[in-house]
Amino acid sequence: MHKEEYEVSVMGGGHTSAPQTTTVINMPRDISVPDHVVWSLFNTLFMNFCCLGFIAFAYSVKSRDRKMVGDITGAQAFASTAKCLNIWALIFNIILTIGAIVILIIFSAAIVQAISQMKTHPGGF
């Protein structure tokens, strides 16, 4: 927590040797901790490789709970874990998507080649 100090001087008195009054006001800053709930929900619904999206969603909810209680350190730790899991889920799913597209292209080319070969050699190999 950050502490800010404000000095309040006593008004109305002359230049006496009386001690000045100092007041310390603790002002908690509204620290924004991103909990990545929407990103985790997206990974859970659309790209749930090895349940990483669901686990990230669980950590995101834990981060939000910690933030509501006021435990900023715990919220940041859970949010960091959720972010890491979301990044890995995204990377794995991009790799899987690219792999699926490559396999689809290879099989499509093989099918087109087989059909063209059947047209040129009807009845046999």
Side-chain angles (χ1 to χ4, degrees):
M1 295 271 183
H2 298 284
K3 293 182 181 178
E4 294 186 12
E5 294 184 12
Y6 295 98
E7 186 174 313
V8 179
S9 60
V10 178
M11 306 252 327
H15 295 296
T16 62
S17 63
Q20 285 188 334
T21 304
T22 303
T23 304
V24 177
I25 301 172
N26 293 329
M27 298 180 65
R29 295 183 187 246
D30 188 24
I31 299 174
S32 175
V33 178
D35 49 20
H36 309 293
V37 171
V38 176
W39 188 11
S40 300
L41 185 62
F42 178 78
N43 281 339
T44 300
L45 295 176
F46 297 110
M47 301 185 296
N48 201 15
F49 178 76
C50 290
C51 294
L52 286 178
F54 180 72
I55 297 168
F57 185 69
Y59 275 98
S60 296
V61 170
K62 284 183 178 184
S63 173
R64 183 167 281 188
D65 289 345
R66 292 285 92 201
K67 187 167 55 172
M68 290 298 153
V69 173
D71 181 14
I72 301 299
T73 306
Q76 288 172 340
F78 284 126
S80 175
T81 304
K83 181 179 179 181
C84 183
L85 289 171
N86 280 321
I87 289 171
W88 279 109
L90 182 64
I91 289 170
F92 285 140
N93 286 300
I94 287 173
I95 291 170
L96 285 176
T97 302
I98 291 172
I101 290 171
V102 168
I103 290 172
L104 183 68
I105 290 171
I106 290 172
F107 281 135
S108 297
I111 291 171
V112 167
Q113 185 181 10
I115 291 173
S116 67
Q117 193 174 24
M118 284 183 191
K119 286 182 179 179
T120 57
H121 301 294
F125 291 98

